[in-house]
Amino acid sequence: MNFLWGAATSSYQIEGAATADGRTPSIWDTFSRTPGKVKNGETGDVACDHYHRYPDDIRLMSELGLRAYRFSVAWPRIVPEPGTVNPKGLDFYSHLVDTLLERDITPWPTLYHWDLPQYLEDAGGWPNRDTAYRFAEYAALVHDRLSDRVTNWTTLNEPWCSSLLGYAAGEHAPGRTEPGKAIEAVHHLLLGHGLAVQNLSGKVGITLNMTHVTPATGSPEDADAARRIDGLQNRLFIDPVLLGSYPEDVVKDLAHLSDFGHVREGDLDTISLPIDMLGINYYSPALVAAGNESGGLTPWIGAEDVRWVDGGRARTTMNWEIDEQGLLDLLRRIQKDYPAVDLYITENGAAFADEVSADGGVHDAGRVDYLSRHIEACAEAVRDGVQLKGYFAWSLLDNFEWAHGYGQRFGIVHVDFETQKRTPKDSALWYASRIKRPL
């Protein structure tokens, strides 16, 4: 089996160079500079300085034996103002792709990993239907420049986060708390995906962050809680893409917020255009029960009265429970319930409090264990007949972890953010050894 092994990053989290070579602000530049939004007031202005250090980072990828690199393209580098194209932005990604290919590493670009140009947010953002068309135009620009060398394209990364965290909960950029607008954002993100598919060639897909949801007890109330969370986290996104419809029960759950009048005739046909691959980002399971005493506005619009239950498992420093069985169950479920499509784990990893030891190493045994267990779950899924074709560890580098700033380290490579020194952790060395063997 020709299984693809790689690692993943995203533009705002690692590139830095926030104003270099014509780049203009994204919603994450604005959000991170707004007091109280990001831990310690940190921003991605410098991050890992990958924009200037990418040749060395790619050399490190090669030394680790990575066969593919999943990165994202910064939309504000390519279209810094409405109707303009920035040659220097396209040049950066062209040079990045060339350098990857020189090292025999397959480039795997994602066109949108949350860094919407601020001028588009000023015009309404993702709740504005026009943004979907602007995304398709931008996708065509990048494709036209790179398609002679790039054959694997991901349109969106985790539209759940872009819509519900960004426009309902306000926990991510742009920081709005408008649930009805968040539902419109869901649709326009997916519409943008479908419109972009029409402008791309090669192997094209989308990445969804999905989880395995189970009820805490056998009660009907807890079963309904699990149904609602599964609907909002998983089915609201995968059903339109692979089945061409929104799940009826979720539409009913959200009826008090939206009549879905923003869905126009033909939209779902566009959203469900055939794709070649589905990326799955998996980190943690969801054990849920009815009854949320805290209430308040959450990304779980339509399920505010659901609470998360402690499953008694070990947790990462993100307070996420570790459960590789959830990944296996999720993969089996997708294979069983949806039309056949190649699956890739496009993100999977864990945050821990990593430090450089006196011997100069970073001994992250917890991450080695996490990766080992989840990769074995992938292997079991393949033995079960799941159409899983590749795995990307999240992340190559410690980076700017969104609203958590630099306090959460997901990298298999440690980054000293003062000196920008890279130190492969034990997990990187383990992963380099593991990927030499068959899945």
Coordinates of all heavy atoms in Angstrom, one line a residue, residues 40-128:
N40 N -2.3 36.5 26.5 CA -1.1 37.4 26.7 C -1.0 38.4 25.6 O 0.1 39.0 25.4 CB 0.2 36.5 26.7 CG 0.2 35.6 27.9 OD1 -0.3 35.9 29.0 ND2 0.7 34.4 27.7
G41 N -2.0 38.7 24.8 CA -2.0 39.7 23.8 C -1.0 39.3 22.6 O -0.6 40.2 21.9
E42 N -0.8 38.0 22.5 CA 0.2 37.6 21.4 C -0.5 37.6 20.1 O -1.7 37.5 19.9 CB 0.7 36.2 21.8 CG 1.5 36.2 23.1 CD 1.7 34.8 23.6 OE1 0.9 33.8 23.3 OE2 2.7 34.6 24.4
T43 N 0.4 37.8 19.0 CA -0.1 37.8 17.6 C 0.8 36.9 16.8 O 1.8 36.3 17.2 CB 0.0 39.2 17.1 OG1 1.4 39.5 16.8 CG2 -0.5 40.3 18.0
G44 N 0.4 36.7 15.5 CA 1.1 35.9 14.6 C 2.1 36.8 13.8 O 2.5 36.3 12.7
D45 N 2.4 38.0 14.2 CA 3.2 38.9 13.4 C 4.5 38.3 13.0 O 5.0 38.5 11.9 CB 3.5 40.2 14.2 CG 2.2 41.1 14.3 OD1 1.2 40.7 13.7 OD2 2.3 42.2 14.9
V46 N 5.1 37.5 13.9 CA 6.4 36.9 13.7 C 6.3 35.3 13.6 O 6.8 34.7 12.7 CB 7.5 37.2 14.7 CG1 8.8 36.5 14.5 CG2 7.7 38.7 14.7
A47 N 5.5 34.8 14.6 CA 5.3 33.4 14.7 C 6.6 32.6 14.6 O 7.5 32.9 15.3 CB 4.3 32.9 13.6
C48 N 6.7 31.7 13.6 CA 7.9 30.9 13.4 C 8.8 31.5 12.3 O 9.8 30.8 12.0 CB 7.6 29.4 13.0 SG 6.5 28.6 14.2
D49 N 8.5 32.6 11.8 CA 9.2 33.3 10.8 C 9.5 32.4 9.6 O 10.5 32.5 8.9 CB 10.6 33.8 11.3 CG 11.2 34.8 10.4 OD1 10.5 35.6 9.7 OD2 12.5 34.9 10.4
H50 N 8.5 31.5 9.3 CA 8.7 30.5 8.2 C 8.8 31.2 6.9 O 9.4 30.7 6.0 CB 7.5 29.6 8.3 CG 7.4 28.6 7.2 ND1 8.3 27.4 7.1 CD2 6.7 28.5 6.0 CE1 8.0 26.7 6.1 NE2 7.0 27.3 5.4
Y51 N 8.2 32.4 6.8 CA 8.3 33.1 5.5 C 9.7 33.3 5.1 O 10.0 33.3 3.9 CB 7.6 34.5 5.6 CG 7.4 35.2 4.4 CD1 6.3 34.9 3.5 CD2 8.3 36.3 4.0 CE1 6.2 35.6 2.3 CE2 8.1 37.0 2.8 CZ 7.0 36.6 2.0 OH 6.9 37.4 0.8
H52 N 10.6 33.5 6.0 CA 12.0 33.8 5.7 C 12.9 32.5 5.9 O 14.0 32.4 5.4 CB 12.6 34.9 6.6 CG 11.9 36.2 6.4 ND1 11.1 36.8 7.4 CD2 11.9 37.0 5.3 CE1 10.7 37.9 6.9 NE2 11.1 38.1 5.7
R53 N 12.4 31.5 6.6 CA 13.1 30.4 7.0 C 12.7 29.1 6.3 O 13.1 28.0 6.7 CB 13.1 30.2 8.6 CG 13.7 31.4 9.3 CD 13.4 31.3 10.8 NE 13.8 32.5 11.5 CZ 15.0 32.6 12.1 NH1 15.9 31.6 12.1 NH2 15.4 33.7 12.7
Y54 N 11.8 29.2 5.4 CA 11.2 28.0 4.8 C 12.3 27.0 4.2 O 12.1 25.8 4.2 CB 10.1 28.3 3.8 CG 10.6 28.9 2.5 CD1 10.9 28.0 1.4 CD2 10.7 30.3 2.3 CE1 11.4 28.5 0.2 CE2 11.2 30.8 1.1 CZ 11.5 29.9 0.0 OH 11.9 30.4 -1.2
P55 N 13.4 27.5 3.6 CA 14.3 26.5 3.0 C 14.9 25.6 4.1 O 15.1 24.4 3.9 CB 15.4 27.4 2.4 CG 14.7 28.7 2.1 CD 13.8 28.9 3.2
D56 N 15.2 26.2 5.3 CA 15.7 25.4 6.4 C 14.6 24.5 7.0 O 14.9 23.3 7.3 CB 16.3 26.3 7.5 CG 17.5 27.0 7.1 OD1 18.2 26.5 6.2 OD2 17.8 28.1 7.7
D57 N 13.4 25.0 7.0 CA 12.3 24.1 7.5 C 12.1 22.9 6.6 O 11.8 21.8 7.0 CB 11.1 24.9 7.7 CG 11.1 25.9 8.9 OD1 11.9 25.6 9.8 OD2 10.3 26.9 8.9
I58 N 12.2 23.2 5.3 CA 12.0 22.1 4.3 C 13.2 21.1 4.4 O 13.0 19.9 4.3 CB 11.8 22.6 2.9 CG1 10.5 23.4 2.8 CG2 11.9 21.5 1.8 CD1 10.3 24.2 1.5
R59 N 14.4 21.6 4.6 CA 15.5 20.7 4.8 C 15.3 19.8 6.0 O 15.5 18.6 6.0 CB 16.8 21.5 5.0 CG 18.0 20.7 5.4 CD 19.2 21.5 5.7 NE 18.9 22.5 6.8 CZ 18.8 22.3 8.1 NH1 19.0 21.0 8.5 NH2 18.6 23.2 8.9
L60 N 14.7 20.4 7.1 CA 14.4 19.6 8.3 C 13.3 18.5 7.9 O 13.4 17.4 8.4 CB 13.9 20.5 9.4 CG 13.5 19.9 10.7 CD1 14.7 19.1 11.3 CD2 13.1 21.0 11.7
M61 N 12.3 18.9 7.2 CA 11.3 17.9 6.7 C 12.0 16.8 6.0 O 11.6 15.6 6.2 CB 10.3 18.6 5.8 CG 9.4 19.7 6.4 SD 8.3 20.3 5.1 CE 8.2 22.0 5.6
S62 N 12.9 17.1 5.1 CA 13.6 16.0 4.4 C 14.4 15.1 5.3 O 14.4 13.9 5.1 CB 14.5 16.7 3.3 OG 15.2 15.7 2.6
E63 N 15.0 15.7 6.3 CA 15.8 14.9 7.2 C 15.0 14.0 8.0 O 15.4 12.9 8.4 CB 16.6 15.8 8.1 CG 17.7 16.6 7.4 CD 18.4 17.6 8.3 OE1 17.9 17.9 9.4 OE2 19.4 18.3 7.8
L64 N 13.7 14.4 8.3 CA 12.8 13.5 9.0 C 12.1 12.5 8.1 O 11.4 11.6 8.6 CB 11.7 14.4 9.7 CG 12.2 15.3 10.8 CD1 11.1 16.2 11.3 CD2 12.8 14.5 11.9
G65 N 12.3 12.6 6.8 CA 11.8 11.6 5.9 C 10.3 11.9 5.5 O 9.7 10.9 5.0
L66 N 9.8 13.1 5.7 CA 8.4 13.3 5.3 C 8.3 13.2 3.8 O 9.1 13.7 3.0 CB 8.0 14.7 5.8 CG 8.1 15.0 7.3 CD1 7.5 16.4 7.6 CD2 7.3 14.0 8.1
R67 N 7.2 12.6 3.4 CA 6.9 12.5 1.9 C 5.9 13.6 1.4 O 5.7 13.7 0.2 CB 6.3 11.1 1.6 CG 7.1 10.0 2.1 CD 8.6 10.0 1.7 NE 9.0 10.6 0.5 CZ 10.0 11.4 0.3 NH1 10.9 11.6 1.3 NH2 10.3 11.9 -0.9
A68 N 5.2 14.3 2.3 CA 4.3 15.3 2.0 C 4.2 16.4 3.0 O 4.5 16.1 4.2 CB 2.9 14.7 1.8
Y69 N 3.9 17.6 2.6 CA 3.8 18.7 3.5 C 2.5 19.5 3.2 O 2.3 20.0 2.1 CB 5.0 19.7 3.3 CG 4.9 20.9 4.1 CD1 4.6 20.9 5.4 CD2 5.1 22.2 3.5 CE1 4.6 22.1 6.2 CE2 5.1 23.4 4.2 CZ 4.8 23.3 5.5 OH 4.7 24.5 6.3
R70 N 1.6 19.5 4.2 CA 0.4 20.2 4.1 C 0.6 21.6 4.7 O 0.8 21.7 5.9 CB -0.7 19.4 4.8 CG -2.1 20.2 4.8 CD -3.2 19.3 5.5 NE -4.4 20.0 5.5 CZ -5.0 20.6 6.5 NH1 -4.4 20.5 7.7 NH2 -6.1 21.2 6.4
F71 N 0.4 22.6 3.8 CA 0.5 24.0 4.3 C -0.7 24.7 3.8 O -1.4 24.2 2.9 CB 1.8 24.6 3.7 CG 1.9 24.6 2.2 CD1 1.5 25.8 1.5 CD2 2.4 23.5 1.5 CE1 1.5 25.8 0.1 CE2 2.4 23.5 0.1 CZ 2.0 24.7 -0.6
S72 N -0.9 26.0 4.2 CA -2.0 26.8 3.7 C -1.4 28.0 3.0 O -0.4 28.5 3.4 CB -3.0 27.1 4.8 OG -2.6 28.1 5.6
V73 N -2.2 28.5 2.1 CA -1.9 29.7 1.4 C -2.6 30.9 2.1 O -3.8 30.8 2.4 CB -2.3 29.6 -0.1 CG1 -2.0 30.9 -0.8 CG2 -1.6 28.5 -0.8
A74 N -1.9 32.0 2.3 CA -2.4 33.2 2.9 C -3.2 34.0 1.9 O -2.5 34.7 1.1 CB -1.4 34.0 3.7
W75 N -4.5 34.0 1.9 CA -5.3 34.8 1.0 C -4.8 36.3 0.9 O -4.7 36.8 -0.2 CB -6.7 34.6 1.4 CG -7.8 35.1 0.5 CD1 -7.7 35.9 -0.6 CD2 -9.2 34.8 0.5 NE1 -8.9 36.1 -1.2 CE2 -9.8 35.4 -0.5 CE3 -9.9 34.0 1.4 CZ2 -11.2 35.3 -0.8 CZ3 -11.3 33.9 1.2 CH2 -11.9 34.6 0.1
P76 N -4.5 36.9 2.1 CA -4.1 38.3 2.0 C -2.8 38.6 1.3 O -2.4 39.7 1.0 CB -4.1 38.8 3.4 CG -4.9 37.8 4.2 CD -4.7 36.5 3.5
R77 N -2.0 37.5 1.2 CA -0.7 37.7 0.4 C -1.0 37.7 -1.1 O -0.2 38.3 -1.9 CB 0.2 36.5 0.7 CG 0.8 36.5 2.1 CD 2.1 35.7 2.1 NE 2.5 35.5 3.5 CZ 3.2 36.4 4.2 NH1 3.5 37.5 3.7 NH2 3.5 36.1 5.5
I78 N -2.1 37.0 -1.5 CA -2.4 36.8 -2.9 C -3.3 37.9 -3.5 O -3.0 38.5 -4.5 CB -3.0 35.5 -3.2 CG1 -2.2 34.3 -2.5 CG2 -3.2 35.2 -4.7 CD1 -0.8 34.3 -3.0
V79 N -4.3 38.3 -2.7 CA -5.2 39.4 -3.1 C -5.3 40.4 -2.0 O -6.2 40.4 -1.1 CB -6.6 38.8 -3.4 CG1 -7.5 39.9 -4.0 CG2 -6.6 37.6 -4.3
P80 N -4.3 41.3 -1.9 CA -4.2 42.1 -0.7 C -5.2 43.2 -0.7 O -5.5 43.8 0.4 CB -2.7 42.7 -0.9 CG -2.4 42.6 -2.3 CD -3.1 41.4 -2.8
E81 N -5.8 43.6 -1.8 CA -6.9 44.5 -1.9 C -7.9 44.0 -2.9 O -7.5 43.3 -3.8 CB -6.3 45.9 -2.3 CG -5.3 46.5 -1.4 CD -5.9 46.9 0.0 OE1 -7.1 47.0 0.0 OE2 -5.1 47.2 0.9
P82 N -9.1 44.5 -2.8 CA -10.1 44.0 -3.8 C -9.6 44.2 -5.2 O -9.2 45.3 -5.6 CB -11.3 44.8 -3.5 CG -11.2 45.2 -2.1 CD -9.7 45.4 -1.8
G83 N -9.7 43.2 -6.1 CA -9.4 43.3 -7.5 C -7.9 43.4 -7.8 O -7.6 43.6 -9.0
T84 N -7.1 43.2 -6.8 CA -5.6 43.2 -7.1 C -5.0 41.8 -6.9 O -5.5 41.0 -6.2 CB -4.9 44.2 -6.2 OG1 -4.9 43.7 -4.8 CG2 -5.5 45.6 -6.3
V85 N -3.9 41.6 -7.6 CA -3.1 40.4 -7.4 C -1.7 40.8 -7.1 O -1.1 41.6 -7.7 CB -3.2 39.5 -8.7 CG1 -2.4 38.2 -8.5 CG2 -4.6 39.2 -9.1
N86 N -1.2 40.1 -6.1 CA 0.2 40.4 -5.6 C 1.2 39.4 -6.1 O 1.2 38.3 -5.6 CB 0.2 40.4 -4.1 CG 1.5 40.8 -3.5 OD1 2.4 41.3 -4.2 ND2 1.8 40.4 -2.2
P87 N 2.0 39.8 -7.1 CA 2.9 38.8 -7.7 C 3.9 38.2 -6.6 O 4.3 37.1 -6.7 CB 3.7 39.6 -8.7 CG 2.8 40.7 -9.1 CD 2.0 41.1 -7.8
K88 N 4.3 39.1 -5.6 CA 5.3 38.6 -4.6 C 4.6 37.5 -3.8 O 5.3 36.6 -3.3 CB 5.7 39.8 -3.8 CG 6.7 40.8 -4.5 CD 7.2 41.8 -3.7 CE 8.1 42.8 -4.4 NZ 8.7 43.9 -3.6
G89 N 3.3 37.6 -3.5 CA 2.7 36.6 -2.7 C 2.7 35.3 -3.5 O 3.0 34.2 -2.9
L90 N 2.3 35.3 -4.7 CA 2.3 34.1 -5.6 C 3.8 33.6 -5.7 O 4.0 32.3 -5.7 CB 1.8 34.4 -6.9 CG 0.2 34.6 -7.0 CD1 -0.2 35.2 -8.3 CD2 -0.5 33.3 -6.7
D91 N 4.7 34.5 -5.8 CA 6.1 34.0 -5.9 C 6.6 33.2 -4.7 O 7.3 32.2 -4.8 CB 7.1 35.2 -6.1 CG 7.0 35.9 -7.4 OD1 6.4 35.3 -8.3 OD2 7.5 37.0 -7.6
F92 N 6.1 33.7 -3.5 CA 6.5 33.0 -2.3 C 6.1 31.5 -2.3 O 6.9 30.6 -2.0 CB 6.0 33.7 -1.0 CG 6.1 32.8 0.2 CD1 7.4 32.6 0.8 CD2 5.0 32.2 0.8 CE1 7.5 31.9 1.9 CE2 5.2 31.4 1.9 CZ 6.4 31.2 2.5
Y93 N 4.9 31.3 -2.6 CA 4.4 29.9 -2.7 C 4.9 29.1 -3.8 O 5.1 27.9 -3.7 CB 2.8 29.9 -2.6 CG 2.3 30.5 -1.3 CD1 1.8 31.7 -1.3 CD2 2.4 29.7 -0.2 CE1 1.3 32.3 -0.1 CE2 2.0 30.3 1.0 CZ 1.4 31.5 1.1 OH 1.0 32.1 2.3
S94 N 5.2 29.8 -4.9 CA 5.9 29.1 -6.0 C 7.3 28.6 -5.6 O 7.7 27.5 -5.9 CB 6.0 30.0 -7.2 OG 6.6 29.4 -8.3
H95 N 8.0 29.5 -4.9 CA 9.4 29.1 -4.4 C 9.2 28.0 -3.4 O 10.1 27.0 -3.4 CB 10.1 30.3 -3.8 CG 10.4 31.4 -4.8 ND1 10.7 31.1 -6.1 CD2 10.4 32.7 -4.7 CE1 11.0 32.3 -6.7 NE2 10.7 33.2 -5.9
L96 N 8.2 28.1 -2.5 CA 8.0 27.0 -1.5 C 7.8 25.7 -2.2 O 8.4 24.7 -1.8 CB 6.8 27.4 -0.6 CG 6.4 26.4 0.4 CD1 7.4 26.4 1.6 CD2 5.0 26.8 1.0
V97 N 6.9 25.6 -3.2 CA 6.6 24.4 -3.9 C 7.9 23.9 -4.6 O 8.1 22.7 -4.5 CB 5.5 24.6 -4.9 CG1 5.4 23.5 -5.9 CG2 4.1 24.8 -4.2
D98 N 8.6 24.7 -5.2 CA 9.8 24.3 -5.9 C 10.8 23.7 -4.9 O 11.4 22.6 -5.2 CB 10.5 25.5 -6.6 CG 9.8 25.9 -7.9 OD1 9.0 25.1 -8.4 OD2 10.1 27.0 -8.4
T99 N 10.9 24.3 -3.8 CA 11.9 23.8 -2.8 C 11.4 22.4 -2.2 O 12.3 21.5 -2.0 CB 12.1 24.8 -1.7 OG1 12.4 26.1 -2.2 CG2 13.2 24.4 -0.7
L100 N 10.1 22.3 -2.0 CA 9.6 21.0 -1.6 C 9.9 19.9 -2.6 O 10.4 18.8 -2.3 CB 8.1 21.1 -1.4 CG 7.6 21.9 -0.1 CD1 6.1 22.2 -0.2 CD2 7.9 21.1 1.2
L101 N 9.6 20.2 -3.9 CA 9.8 19.2 -4.9 C 11.3 18.8 -5.1 O 11.6 17.7 -5.4 CB 9.2 19.7 -6.2 CG 7.7 19.9 -6.3 CD1 7.2 20.5 -7.5 CD2 7.0 18.5 -6.1
E102 N 12.2 19.8 -4.9 CA 13.6 19.5 -4.9 C 14.0 18.5 -3.9 O 15.0 17.7 -4.1 CB 14.4 20.8 -4.7 CG 14.4 21.8 -5.9 CD 14.9 23.1 -5.6 OE1 15.4 23.3 -4.4 OE2 14.9 24.0 -6.4
R103 N 13.3 18.5 -2.8 CA 13.5 17.5 -1.7 C 12.6 16.3 -1.8 O 12.6 15.4 -0.9 CB 13.3 18.2 -0.3 CG 14.2 19.3 0.0 CD 15.5 18.8 0.5 NE 16.4 19.9 1.0 CZ 17.5 19.8 1.6 NH1 18.0 18.5 1.8 NH2 18.2 20.8 2.0
D104 N 11.9 16.1 -2.9 CA 11.0 15.0 -3.2 C 9.9 14.9 -2.1 O 9.5 13.8 -1.7 CB 11.8 13.7 -3.2 CG 11.0 12.6 -3.9 OD1 10.2 12.9 -4.7 OD2 11.3 11.4 -3.6
I105 N 9.4 16.1 -1.7 CA 8.3 16.2 -0.8 C 7.1 16.7 -1.6 O 7.1 17.7 -2.2 CB 8.6 17.1 0.4 CG1 9.8 16.6 1.2 CG2 7.4 17.3 1.3 CD1 10.3 17.5 2.2
T106 N 5.9 16.0 -1.5 CA 4.7 16.4 -2.2 C 4.1 17.6 -1.6 O 3.7 17.5 -0.4 CB 3.7 15.2 -2.3 OG1 4.4 14.1 -2.9 CG2 2.5 15.6 -3.0
P107 N 3.9 18.7 -2.3 CA 3.2 19.9 -1.8 C 1.7 19.6 -1.7 O 1.1 19.0 -2.6 CB 3.5 21.0 -2.7 CG 3.8 20.3 -4.0 CD 4.4 19.0 -3.7
W108 N 1.0 20.0 -0.6 CA -0.4 19.7 -0.3 C -1.0 20.9 0.2 O -1.3 21.1 1.4 CB -0.4 18.5 0.7 CG -1.7 17.8 0.7 CD1 -2.9 18.2 1.4 CD2 -2.0 16.5 0.2 NE1 -3.8 17.2 1.2 CE2 -3.3 16.2 0.5 CE3 -1.3 15.6 -0.6 CZ2 -3.9 15.0 0.1 CZ3 -1.8 14.4 -1.0 CH2 -3.2 14.1 -0.6
P109 N -1.3 21.9 -0.7 CA -1.8 23.2 -0.2 C -3.3 23.2 0.2 O -4.1 22.5 -0.5 CB -1.5 24.1 -1.4 CG -1.5 23.3 -2.6 CD -1.0 22.0 -2.1
T110 N -3.6 23.9 1.2 CA -4.9 24.3 1.6 C -5.2 25.7 1.3 O -4.4 26.6 1.6 CB -5.1 24.0 3.1 OG1 -5.0 22.7 3.4 CG2 -6.5 24.5 3.6
L111 N -6.3 26.0 0.6 CA -6.5 27.4 0.1 C -7.1 28.3 1.2 O -6.9 29.5 1.1 CB -7.4 27.3 -1.1 CG -6.7 26.7 -2.3 CD1 -7.7 26.4 -3.4 CD2 -5.7 27.7 -2.9
Y112 N -7.7 27.7 2.2 CA -8.3 28.6 3.2 C -8.1 27.9 4.6 O -8.8 26.9 4.9 CB -9.7 28.9 3.0 CG -10.3 29.9 4.0 CD1 -9.8 31.3 4.0 CD2 -11.2 29.6 5.0 CE1 -10.3 32.2 4.9 CE2 -11.6 30.5 5.9 CZ -11.2 31.8 5.9 OH -11.6 32.7 6.8
H113 N -7.2 28.5 5.4 CA -7.1 28.0 6.8 C -7.3 29.3 7.7 O -6.4 29.7 8.4 CB -5.7 27.4 7.0 CG -5.7 26.6 8.3 ND1 -5.1 25.3 8.3 CD2 -6.0 26.8 9.5 CE1 -5.2 24.8 9.5 NE2 -5.7 25.7 10.3
W114 N -8.5 29.9 7.5 CA -9.1 30.9 8.5 C -8.6 32.3 8.3 O -9.2 33.2 9.0 CB -8.8 30.5 9.9 CG -9.2 29.1 10.2 CD1 -9.9 28.2 9.5 CD2 -9.0 28.4 11.5 NE1 -10.1 27.0 10.1 CE2 -9.6 27.1 11.4 CE3 -8.4 28.8 12.7 CZ2 -9.5 26.2 12.4 CZ3 -8.4 27.9 13.7 CH2 -8.9 26.6 13.6
D115 N -7.6 32.6 7.4 CA -7.1 34.0 7.4 C -7.8 34.8 6.3 O -7.2 35.2 5.3 CB -5.6 34.0 7.2 CG -5.1 33.0 6.2 OD1 -5.9 32.3 5.6 OD2 -3.8 33.0 6.0
L116 N -9.1 35.0 6.5 CA -9.9 35.9 5.5 C -9.3 37.3 5.5 O -9.1 37.9 6.5 CB -11.4 35.9 6.0 CG -12.3 36.7 5.1 CD1 -12.6 35.9 3.8 CD2 -13.6 36.9 5.9
P117 N -9.2 37.8 4.3 CA -8.7 39.2 4.2 C -9.7 40.1 5.0 O -10.9 40.0 4.9 CB -8.8 39.5 2.7 CG -8.6 38.2 2.0 CD -9.3 37.2 2.9
Q118 N -9.1 41.1 5.7 CA -10.0 41.9 6.6 C -11.0 42.8 5.7 O -12.1 43.0 6.2 CB -9.1 42.8 7.4 CG -9.9 43.7 8.4 CD -10.7 43.0 9.4 OE1 -10.2 42.0 10.0 NE2 -12.0 43.4 9.6
Y119 N -10.6 43.1 4.5 CA -11.5 43.9 3.7 C -12.7 43.2 3.3 O -13.8 43.7 3.2 CB -10.8 44.5 2.5 CG -10.3 43.5 1.5 CD1 -11.1 42.9 0.6 CD2 -8.9 43.1 1.5 CE1 -10.6 41.9 -0.4 CE2 -8.4 42.2 0.6 CZ -9.3 41.6 -0.3 OH -8.8 40.7 -1.3
L120 N -12.6 41.8 3.2 CA -13.8 41.0 3.0 C -14.7 40.9 4.2 O -15.9 40.9 4.1 CB -13.4 39.6 2.4 CG -12.9 39.6 1.0 CD1 -12.5 38.2 0.6 CD2 -14.0 40.1 0.0
E121 N -14.1 40.8 5.4 CA -14.9 40.8 6.6 C -15.6 42.2 6.8 O -16.8 42.2 7.2 CB -14.0 40.6 7.8 CG -14.7 40.7 9.2 CD -15.9 39.8 9.3 OE1 -15.9 38.7 8.7 OE2 -16.8 40.1 10.1
D122 N -14.9 43.2 6.4 CA -15.5 44.6 6.5 C -16.7 44.7 5.6 O -17.7 45.4 5.8 CB -14.5 45.7 6.1 CG -13.4 45.8 7.1 OD1 -13.5 45.3 8.3 OD2 -12.3 46.3 6.8
A123 N -16.8 43.9 4.5 CA -17.9 43.8 3.6 C -19.0 42.8 4.0 O -19.9 42.6 3.2 CB -17.4 43.5 2.2
G124 N -18.8 42.2 5.1 CA -19.8 41.2 5.6 C -19.2 39.9 6.0 O -19.9 39.1 6.7
G125 N -18.0 39.5 5.5 CA -17.4 38.3 5.9 C -18.1 37.1 5.2 O -18.8 37.2 4.2
W126 N -18.0 35.9 5.9 CA -18.6 34.7 5.3 C -20.1 34.7 5.4 O -20.7 34.0 4.6 CB -18.0 33.5 6.0 CG -16.6 33.1 5.6 CD1 -15.5 33.2 6.2 CD2 -16.3 32.6 4.2 NE1 -14.4 32.8 5.5 CE2 -14.9 32.5 4.2 CE3 -17.0 32.3 3.1 CZ2 -14.2 32.0 3.1 CZ3 -16.3 31.8 2.0 CH2 -14.9 31.7 2.0
P127 N -20.8 35.4 6.2 CA -22.2 35.5 6.1 C -22.7 36.2 4.8 O -23.9 36.1 4.4 CB -22.7 36.3 7.3 CG -21.6 36.1 8.3 CD -20.3 36.0 7.5
N128 N -21.8 36.9 4.1 CA -22.1 37.6 2.9 C -21.8 36.6 1.7 O -20.7 36.1 1.6 CB -21.2 38.8 2.8 CG -21.4 39.6 1.5 OD1 -22.3 39.2 0.6 ND2 -20.7 40.7 1.3

